[in-house]
């Protein structure tokens, strides 16, 4: 097996809110392997999103060391972090975060813009990716012309178009009905089978149970589970 | 590629908020239109006056008593026709030296009357100052030496007194004294608000008798060539000062007059441009405001773009382009409006206006710069947004 995609060692994150320190994450250590499928569960406010933001290089830890794609984020500036995210990470959000006035194809192509890929190739790769998530017939639809499940598939295609090492999905089914949610999760599982590491925040116990690894968070820390390799 | 995307997004954002974009542009449109129109009026006026001064003919040297300085009152003349002879000897050619005594007089023909500038002159005036006759003949040498009461009318005065009738050979009175019209001038138009066609030329001797004086107001010399103007100027002032030790004399060339007028009008144009510039500035502040609103509205979009790999610079450039697009589109519209306004002023008012390429280029450049200056702060704010915070915004 190749080098781990993400290595977090004793990372913490403390928010400063009106002079009050809010410790959202306290000493989390976690390694994401290139073929991992990790489910993160935990109560609301336990620090799941904070952890996802750190793993994805959207934020930097207040303490500990974090290696993304082998690079220590402590030494990186905002522009380098942006490049790192673009090359290594794909994000999927609970509320899709698609650009409203933009077609599915152009939404998916967006990360390639910031990679400097030409328009023709961007459009070709976006179409290919939409086909892979089963939306070949929705290329020129805008978000408001698509169902929630379709929108989330577009978001997943967008996360995949840069061929990232890790796909981070923070409650991707939170805004979907259960049947649609199931199909989105099935898609994520099939992507994982194709070799993309997936880290998933979910409330669904069945989904969590199907994951290769399960991580439970509480009060900003990982709860050690008997009988599981956390 | 990233820049192309930034353009596309900026245009898209402006389209998405059409009304707001148009209203924001309005400030810039008005500012640029004001710059173009007012600078056009300034340069138009300047151009017209320069043309008229140049129309006096080249290599012209004007000699008047007194010091020609800003703020000094014109001195009473002590020159007479003997001085003209003396200057003519210095110049070496009598035909190159013109003399004038001027006075505002009421001119009558039958029941009609007109107020005109009576100019007592020598017969060589049309050659020294380039003036063309419309009808009849000009004053002759004999008219001047004998003080014959004959007159040549400016086009305006001729029309006022005689309408469409031919004035040649008719009688007029100037200050109550009878003169016979022997010629009329071609129409000249206005200069600095002065109607140059309300003139009557009479022999200097006749004018002196009418005014009860033997003085003349000033001299004009057409130098044979440009190189000798300076030398001639010194020699003429010297001979006059020798003859009138108590009086200062000034000799000014056309270039000097043009220079002074140019300075004055340059300042005037500058002031107009500054006033217009202030409205452009106000337009810029409006752009800045709207850009800040735009950044706030699109916080989530900024967060998403950053999450998928946009650097702070990419976001900043996108918003800066949006601001520059706002002001340059406003600038182009303002240029169209300003040019139209200038052309209308030129066509339908006595004020001349000339649109110059440099004022258009300047207005466009300034509007782009305004976009950059007033777009930088919102763009930086957008670029520095924390992606996590931006994505959380709902
Ligand atoms: N930007 C922030 N500023 C201050 N506190 C924050 C911020 N983001 C999250 N928190 C706090 O950190 C804790 C963890 O939040 P989060 O990671 O969103 O939890 P989860 O995703 O598990 O619900 C919560 O107490 C939350 O209020
Ligand atoms: Mg959360």
């Amino acid at each position: 097996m190749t080098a781990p995609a993400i290595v977090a060692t004793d990372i913490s994150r403390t928010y400063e809110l009106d002079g009050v320190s809010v410790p959202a994450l306290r000493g989390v250590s976690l390694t994401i392997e290139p073929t991992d499928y990790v489910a993160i569960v935990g109560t609301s406010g336990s620090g799941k999103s904070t952890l996802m933001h750190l793993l994805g290089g959207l934020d930097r830890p207040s303490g500990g060391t974090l290696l993304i794609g082998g690079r220590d984020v402590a030494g990186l500036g905002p522009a380098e972090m942006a490049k790192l995210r673009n090359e290594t990470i794909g994000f999927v959000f609970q509320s899709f975060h698609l650009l409203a006035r933009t077609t599915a194809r152009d939404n998916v192509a967006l990360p390639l813009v910031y990679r400097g890929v030409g328009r023709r190739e961007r459009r070709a790769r976006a179409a290919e990716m939409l086909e892979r998530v089963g939306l070949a017939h929705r290329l020129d639809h805008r978000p408001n012309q698509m169902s929630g499940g379709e929108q989330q598939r577009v978001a997943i295609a967008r996360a995949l178009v840069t061929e990232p090492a890790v796909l981070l999905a923070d409650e991707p089914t939170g805004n979907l009905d259960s049947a649609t949610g199931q199909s989105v999760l099935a898609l994520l599982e099939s992507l994982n089978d194709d070799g993309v590491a997936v880290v998933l925040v979910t409330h669904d116990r069945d989904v969590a149970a199907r994951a290769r690894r399960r991580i439970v968070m509480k009060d900003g820390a990982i709860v050690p589970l008997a009988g599981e390799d956390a | 590629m990233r820049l192309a995307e930034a353009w596309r997004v900026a245009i898209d954002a402006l389209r998405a908020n059409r009304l707001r974009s148009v209203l924001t542009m309005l400030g810039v449109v008005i500012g640029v239109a004001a710059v173009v129109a007012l600078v056009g009026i300034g340069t138009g006026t300047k151009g017209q006056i320069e043309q008229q001064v140049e129309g006096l003919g080249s290599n012209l040297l004007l000699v008047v008593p007194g010091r020609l300085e800003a703020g000094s009152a014109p001195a009473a003349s002590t020159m007479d026709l003997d001085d003209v002879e003396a200057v003519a000897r210095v110049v070496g050619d009598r035909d190159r030296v013109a003399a004038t005594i001027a006075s505002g007089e009421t001119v009558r023909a039958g029941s009609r009357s007109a107020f005109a500038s009576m100019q007592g002159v020598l017969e060589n005036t049309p050659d020294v100052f380039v003036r063309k006759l419309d009808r009849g003949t000009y004053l002759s040498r004999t008219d001047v030496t004998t003080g014959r009461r004959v007159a040549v009318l400016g086009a305006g005065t001729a029309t006022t007194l005689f309408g469409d009738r031919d004035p040649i050979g008719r009688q007029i009175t100037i200050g109550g004294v009878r003169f016979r019209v022997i010629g009329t001038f071609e129409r000249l138009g206005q200069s600095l608000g002065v109607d140059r066609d309300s003139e009557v030329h009479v022999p200097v001797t006749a004018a002196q008798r009418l005014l009860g004086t033997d003085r003349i107001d000033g001299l004009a010399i057409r130098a044979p060539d440009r190189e000798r103007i300076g030398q001639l100027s010194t020699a003429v002032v010297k001979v006059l000062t020798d003859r009138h030790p108590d009086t200062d004399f000034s000799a000014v060339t056309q270039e000097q007059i043009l220079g002074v007028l140019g300075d004055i009008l340059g300042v005037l144009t500058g002031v107009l441009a500054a006033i217009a510039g202030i409205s452009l500035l106000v337009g810029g502040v409006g752009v800045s405001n709207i850009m800040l609103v735009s950044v706030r509205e699109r916080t989530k979009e900024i967060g998403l773009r950053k999450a998928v790999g946009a650097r702070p610079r990419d976001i900043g450039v996108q918003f800066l382009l949006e601001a520059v697009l706002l002001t340059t589109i406003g600038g182009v519209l303002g240029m169209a409006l300003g040019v139209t306004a200038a052309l209308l002023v030129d066509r339908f008012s006595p004020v001349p206006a000339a649109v110059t390429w440099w004022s258009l280029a300047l207005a466009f450049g300034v509007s782009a710069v305004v976009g950059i200056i007033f777009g930088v702060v919102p763009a930086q704010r957008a670029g520095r947004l924390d992606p996590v915070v931006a994505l959380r915004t709902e």
Side-chain angles (χ1 to χ4, degrees):
Chain A
M1 193 176 284
T2 48
I6 302 173
V7 183
T9 313
D10 196 27
I11 55 170
S12 61
R13 178 69 169 96
T14 305
Y15 293 108
E16 297 296 334
L17 204 67
D18 302 327
V20 182
S21 293
V22 181
L25 218 58
R26 4 176 153 222
V28 169
S29 295
L30 182 66
T31 300
I32 308 294
E33 301 294 344
T35 56
D36 248 336
Y37 191 111
V38 182
I40 302 178
V41 294
T43 54
S44 182
S46 58
K48 305 183 296 293
S49 294
T50 303
L51 178 60
M52 292 295 261
H53 292 149
L54 288 173
L55 296 181
L58 276 175
D59 196 5
R60 260 180 298 202
S62 316
T65 53
L66 175 60
L67 304 181
I68 300 175
R71 301 189 67 183
D72 188 343
V73 299
L76 302 181
E80 290 165 311
M81 292 282 277
K83 189 163 186 283
L84 185 63
R85 289 194 293 272
N86 183 265
E87 289 172 351
T88 320
I89 308 291
F91 287 101
V92 178
F93 304 96
Q94 179 174 348
S95 52
F96 320 142
H97 282 311
L98 298 177
L99 301 184
R101 296 163 42 79
T102 307
T103 62
R105 192 206 286 250
D106 285 340
N107 262 296
V108 172
L110 189 65
L112 298 177
V113 168
Y114 297 111
R115 186 174 280 199
V117 175
R119 181 175 157 79
R120 190 184 292 266
E121 193 189 336
R122 283 204 308 260
R123 288 175 61 81
R125 279 167 67 174
E128 207 176 291
M129 219 37 79
L130 279 165
E131 195 178 334
R132 181 153 167 213
V133 300
L135 288 178
H137 57 302
R138 291 283 186 264
L139 291 185
D140 294 315
H141 284 56
R142 290 168 205 281
N144 62 2
Q145 298 167 321
M146 290 184 282
S147 71
E150 286 174 329
Q151 290 185 52
Q152 194 60 299
R153 282 167 185 273
V154 173
I156 291 169
R158 178 181 64 196
L160 289 173
V161 78
T162 53
E163 294 170 352
V166 184
L167 202 148
L168 300 176
D170 192 348
E171 304 194 38
T173 60
N175 283 0
L176 304 176
D177 61 63
S178 65
T180 315
Q182 288 306 320
S183 77
V184 164
L185 290 168
L187 174 62
L188 291 178
E189 281 170 20
S190 85
L191 293 171
N192 178 244
D193 291 341
D194 292 347
V196 184
V198 173
V199 181
L200 175 72
V201 172
T202 180
H203 289 305
D204 190 319
R205 294 191 167 277
D206 298 339
V207 175
R210 286 218 302 268
R212 237 185 271 179
R213 277 206 293 159
R214 202 157 66 100
I215 287 172
V216 180
M217 301 260 328
K218 191 165 185 277
D219 293 336
I222 294 177
V223 180
L225 287 179
E228 292 208 35
D229 53 337
Chain B
M1 250 90 52
R2 292 167 180 228
L3 201 63
E5 168 76 2
W7 270 112
R8 203 188 58 71
V9 172
I11 290 169
D12 215 49
L14 297 185
R15 268 212 208 119
N17 295 295
R18 269 199 197 89
L19 182 62
R20 187 169 85 187
S21 305
V22 168
L23 290 177
T24 309
M25 277 176 201
L26 210 56
V28 178
V29 170
I30 291 169
V32 168
V35 168
V36 171
L38 291 180
V39 169
I41 288 169
T43 41
T45 308
K46 188 172 170 181
Q48 191 192 47
I49 288 165
E50 282 173 356
Q51 206 182 356
Q52 282 167 348
V53 174
E54 266 157 23
L56 292 174
S58 54
N59 304 343
L60 204 60
L61 190 63
L62 302 176
V63 184
V64 289
R67 290 183 185 282
L68 207 75
E69 283 169 0
S72 66
S77 175
T78 55
M79 286 190 283
D80 56 27
L81 287 172
D82 291 341
D83 293 313
V84 178
E85 296 297 333
V87 169
R89 278 194 297 277
V90 170
V91 175
D93 184 350
R94 197 177 181 284
D95 287 341
R96 292 186 175 276
V97 183
T100 312
I101 178 167
S103 169
E105 299 291 340
T106 302
V107 184
R108 292 181 200 281
S111 61
R112 302 208 200 189
S113 70
F115 191 75
S117 164
M118 177 189 71
Q119 313 246 340
V121 293
L122 301 177
E123 74 284 355
N124 57 10
T125 295
D127 304 320
V128 175
F129 302 95
V130 179
R131 290 295 299 266
K132 287 207 181 80
L133 283 189
D134 183 30
R135 285 196 258 196
T137 55
Y138 197 69
L139 311 172
S140 69
R141 181 77 179 267
T142 321
D143 293 336
V144 173
T145 50
T146 59
R148 194 174 288 158
R149 295 201 301 276
V150 287
V152 177
L153 302 183
T157 306
T159 310
T160 311
L161 294 179
F162 296 101
D164 293 335
R165 292 179 298 154
D166 185 357
I168 307 299
R170 295 187 188 272
Q171 295 291 327
I172 57 170
T173 64
I174 303 172
V177 177
R178 284 161 60 119
F179 280 77
R180 184 167 51 86
V181 178
I182 59 168
T184 59
F185 284 117
E186 277 187 1
R187 191 169 290 281
L188 279 179
Q190 289 199 340
S191 163
L192 283 168
V194 176
D195 183 0
R196 298 177 65 207
D197 292 317
S198 293
E199 275 189 352
V200 180
H201 284 208
V202 300
V204 62
T205 40
Q208 284 175 332
R209 199 182 318 145
L210 185 75
L211 297 171
T213 178
D214 56 2
R215 308 260 183 253
I216 59 162
D217 291 339
L219 296 173
I221 300 152
R222 176 171 301 284
D225 53 67
R226 182 174 289 271
E227 285 67 37
R228 283 189 51 202
I229 286 188
Q231 186 190 334
L232 203 56
S233 166
T234 318
V236 167
V237 169
K238 182 173 184 309
V239 74
L240 288 172
T241 312
D242 286 348
R243 293 170 59 86
H244 305 274
D246 301 333
T247 314
D248 289 318
F249 289 92
S250 307
V252 287
T253 63
Q254 213 169 322
E255 277 82 5
Q256 288 167 321
I257 297 173
L258 273 181
V260 172
L261 287 175
D263 288 351
I264 294 169
L265 288 163
V267 169
L268 186 76
T269 307
V271 169
L272 291 179
I275 292 170
I278 288 169
S279 64
L280 196 55
L281 213 66
V282 173
V285 172
V287 169
S288 203
N289 257 321
I290 287 301
M291 288 313 299
L292 287 173
V293 171
S294 180
V295 170
R296 181 158 334 139
E297 277 179 355
R298 283 150 66 197
T299 301
K300 241 172 66 174
E301 177 191 327
I302 294 167
L304 184 272
R305 285 179 183 274
K306 287 196 160 187
V308 301
R311 299 166 302 177
R313 257 192 65 191
D314 297 320
I315 301 295
V317 164
Q318 175 189 325
F319 280 90
L320 197 57
L321 271 180
E322 190 176 325
V324 170
L325 214 57
L326 263 177
T327 59
T328 48
I329 293 174
V332 169
L333 294 178
M335 272 165 24
L337 191 67
V339 168
T340 309
L343 291 180
L344 289 178
V345 163
D346 195 51
R347 177 83 179 73
F348 294 109
S349 87
V351 179
V355 176
T356 52
W357 288 111
W358 69 261
S359 77
L360 289 183
L362 182 77
F364 186 79
V366 166
S367 61
V369 168
V370 163
I372 291 171
I373 291 173
F374 289 94
V376 149
V377 169
Q380 279 184 344
R381 184 169 295 190
R384 287 189 192 140
L385 269 180
D386 179 351
V388 172
V389 175
L391 282 169
R392 268 182 213 265
T393 323
E394 284 303 331

